[in-house]
């Protein structure tokens, strides 16, 4: 890790770098998108059509799993994954407090109770904080592959084995991330992805995927996402959900998926610049860099840091045209008092006053990131 605060060759001209660039996502492949949308609409192929099945097959082949189901969003993918794990009424599930409320909401949707544990300085689940939270009702643990990084899945696996728990992965933010060569989304009973527009693979609306390797579970998942219908007989064999991914969104994502590997590498290159330029600042805690460990391939869905004087820093960056955000509005789940959730999350509590996201997406240039780094170095070093 470099201790030197490198000088940038970026120009000092003011720039406008919003936190995210939604219009840019369309402009990037506008011609291909319009041709694809035109083709799908002209065919009248809206629900459960070939574009969806082609997208599912492409994703399954990429991940090396037997089944992928395109679903309405990441939250329903998590809900179905919990159902496949047999989690239900009266059960408890361990969830880290530093995640989107959707992780805990999915537990609630199956009638169970989320119990919140802590994260560590890399912002991933700290299973040691969960030991005292396990009861006779605890049925599963949900590691969250946050910010496009994977949890220490050996530790999660050992914890689950020790307590006899199922693993249900929230990999919504981590399509393409790997732990010891294995893709996020392929650990545990089932995995989940979100295709919310700001995700590394985002659609133009809501979307998600459920990842299942086991054939028997796949049959149930197929029924759940389509009103509980058996796909051959069309008969309802259980109460299910209307949780299908729209065909047009699947077709759009096929366009983007062709460029996926390139956009992951670009994010990692940007993360490398942040790492090289900022790791010498004692006022900032950075995420582990892209080359920090051979055990992980992080895809940097987000670049989440902890910062001294966070609000003045954000103001300073704003004045330089740089957008930042606080993931989930600056709240850990245990801080939503109305949910009344049992928790043990002291690190997350302290971190809530320090954490923030710096711009990170594949439309940013290296010069943009150098400009951001210049502004941060100026703030702390003048
Ligand atoms: C960690 C995490 N879990 C769950 C979700 C829920 O996904 P969706 O918004 O597609 O329902 C998200 C999406 O933002 C997420 O980031």
């Amino acid at each position: 890790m470099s201790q030197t605060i490198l000088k940038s060759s970026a120009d000092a001209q003011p720039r406008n770098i919003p936190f995210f660039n939604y219009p840019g996502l369309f402009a990037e492949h506008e011609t291909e998108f319009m041709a694809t949308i035109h083709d799908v609409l002209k065919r009248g192929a809206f629900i459960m059509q070939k574009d969806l099945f082609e997208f599912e097959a492409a994703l399954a082949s990429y991940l090396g799993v037997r089944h992928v189901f395109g679903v309405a969003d990441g939250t329903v993918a998590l809900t179905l994954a919990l159902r496949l794990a047999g989690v239900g009424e009266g059960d408890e599930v361990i969830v880290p407090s530093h995640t989107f409320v959707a992780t805990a909401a999915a537990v609630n949707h199956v009638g169970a109770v989320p119990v919140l544990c802590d994260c560590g300085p890399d912002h991933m689940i700290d299973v040691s904080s969960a030991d005292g939270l396990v009861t006779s009702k605890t049925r599963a643990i949900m590691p969250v592959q946050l910010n496009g990084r994977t949890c220490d899945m050996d530790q999660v696996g050992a914890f689950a084995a020790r307590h006899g728990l199922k693993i249900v992965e929230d990999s919504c933010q981590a399509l393409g991330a790997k732990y010891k060569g294995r893709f996020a989304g392929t650990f545990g009973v089932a995995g989940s992805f979100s295709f919310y527009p700001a995700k590394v693979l985002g659609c133009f609306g809501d979307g998600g995927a459920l990842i299942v390797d086991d054939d028997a579970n796949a049959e149930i998942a197929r029924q759940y996402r389509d009103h509980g219908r058996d796909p051959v007989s069309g008969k309802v064999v259980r109460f299910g959900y209307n949780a299908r991914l729209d065909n047009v969104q699947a077709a759009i994502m096929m366009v983007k998926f062709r460029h996926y590997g390139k956009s992951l590498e670009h994010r990692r290159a940007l993360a490398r610049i942040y790492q090289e330029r900022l790791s010498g600042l004692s006022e900032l805690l950075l995420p582990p860099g892209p080359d920090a460990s051979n055990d992980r391939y992080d895809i940097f869905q987000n670049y989440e840091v902890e910062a001294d004087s966070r609000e003045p820093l954000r103001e300073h960056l704003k004045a330089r045209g740089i957008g930042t955000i606080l993931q989930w509005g600056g709240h850990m789940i245990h801080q939503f008092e109305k949910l009344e959730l049992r928790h043990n999350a002291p690190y997350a509590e302290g971190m809530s006053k320090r954490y923030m996201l710096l711009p990170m997406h594949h439309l940013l240039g290296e010069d943009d990131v150098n400009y951001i780094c210049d502004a941060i170095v100026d703030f702390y070093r003048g």
Side-chain angles (χ1 to χ4, degrees):
M1 218 164 67
S2 162
Q3 290 305 307
T4 325
I5 299 164
L6 301 174
K7 278 284 158 211
S8 156
S9 57
D11 59 73
Q13 295 304 308
R15 294 187 179 205
N16 178 26
I17 308 180
F19 177 73
F20 201 73
N21 178 2
Y22 289 105
L25 290 180
F26 176 61
E28 192 186 12
H29 303 295
E30 178 170 350
T31 311
E32 256 186 294
F33 287 140
M34 290 316 289
T36 300
I37 293 166
H38 186 261
D39 172 51
V40 172
L41 300 197
K42 202 162 172 199
R43 279 187 278 125
F46 303 123
I47 304 287
M48 301 273 275
Q49 298 296 315
K50 81 173 172 74
D51 311 86
L52 172 63
F53 303 131
E54 281 170 8
F55 174 62
E56 291 174 342
L59 210 51
S61 152
Y62 174 75
L63 295 169
V65 294
R66 290 173 60 75
H67 306 280
V68 169
F69 298 100
V71 294
D73 51 55
T75 310
V76 81
L78 289 167
T79 306
L80 298 187
L82 285 160
R83 283 208 179 275
L84 294 179
V87 177
E89 209 65 46
D91 291 334
E92 292 179 355
V93 178
I94 304 285
V95 172
S97 189
H98 182 38
T99 180
F100 188 29
V101 71
T103 321
V107 175
N108 175 270
H109 294 334
V110 301
V113 178
V115 177
L116 304 172
C117 71
D118 211 357
C119 63
D122 69 347
H123 300 184
M124 312 304 291
I125 193 168
D126 171 8
V127 289
S128 70
S129 70
D131 271 318
L133 298 172
V134 174
T135 71
S136 59
K137 296 179 183 170
T138 311
R139 192 69 177 265
I141 180 166
M142 296 179 80
V144 178
Q145 318 291 25
L146 198 70
N147 296 327
R149 177 174 171 77
T150 48
C151 303
D152 183 326
M153 293 307 295
D154 286 346
Q155 276 183 14
V156 172
F159 179 88
R162 194 159 68 244
H163 295 287
L165 308 179
K166 300 263 178 69
I167 297 173
V168 176
E169 230 187 314
D170 181 341
S171 42
C172 279
Q173 292 196 353
L175 177 59
K178 289 185 205 165
Y179 179 77
K180 296 191 172 171
R182 188 166 163 186
F183 278 108
T186 68
F187 295 86
V189 179
S192 52
F193 293 113
S194 166
F195 303 130
Y196 181 83
K199 293 290 189 274
V200 182
L201 184 67
C203 59
F204 294 150
D206 276 313
L210 175 66
I211 311 306
V212 184
D213 206 38
D214 173 82
D215 290 345
N217 269 341
E219 195 180 328
I220 301 170
R222 189 173 282 113
Q223 295 158 357
Y224 268 140
R225 75 130 172 220
D226 184 32
H227 295 290
R229 287 188 283 224
D230 176 84
V232 180
S233 70
K235 279 193 176 163
V236 173
V237 292
R238 65 179 72 246
F239 283 117
Y241 300 76
N242 179 1
R244 302 164 306 218
L245 175 66
D246 291 348
N247 197 62
V248 70
Q249 298 291 359
I252 287 166
M253 278 189 288
M254 264 316 277
V255 173
K256 291 179 143 195
F257 198 46
R258 288 188 201 108
H259 309 275
Y260 199 61
K262 226 168 56 191
S263 52
L264 298 189
E265 277 307 313
H266 186 63
R267 281 171 183 262
R268 286 170 57 81
L270 299 181
R272 213 165 271 125
I273 296 174
Y274 276 132
Q275 177 74 24
E276 284 172 10
R277 295 283 322 278
L278 303 177
S279 62
L281 292 173
S282 55
E283 297 89 343
L284 278 185
L285 177 67
L286 305 180
D291 307 309
S293 156
N294 290 333
D295 284 349
R296 286 192 173 84
Y297 181 83
D298 293 354
I299 59 138
F300 293 92
Q301 161 67 56
N302 300 312
Y303 197 81
E304 189 169 68
V305 303
E306 293 181 45
D308 289 354
S309 310
R310 180 184 68 185
E311 292 314 315
L313 171 63
R314 295 186 70 208
E315 280 305 314
H316 171 85
L317 295 179
K318 190 173 163 196
R320 302 259 180 124
I322 300 164
T324 59
I325 65 166
L326 307 185
Q327 198 160 207
W328 308 308
H331 305 292
M332 306 290 143
I333 301 181
H334 74 270
Q335 294 171 333
F336 298 125
E337 303 92 355
K338 293 220 161 157
L339 299 181
E340 297 183 345
L341 297 177
R342 200 152 60 82
H343 62 272
N344 175 34
Y347 189 89
E349 177 67 29
M351 188 187 121
S352 66
K353 297 175 193 71
R354 296 175 44 82
Y355 82 116
M356 61 187 271
L357 297 181
L358 296 176
M360 169 56 81
H361 55 83
H362 73 279
L363 300 173
L364 281 179
E366 296 190 354
D367 52 342
D368 292 323
V369 173
N370 271 309
Y371 174 84
I372 296 165
C373 292
D374 286 341
I376 294 173
V377 171
D378 274 359
F379 176 74
Y380 285 119
R381 294 289 178 267

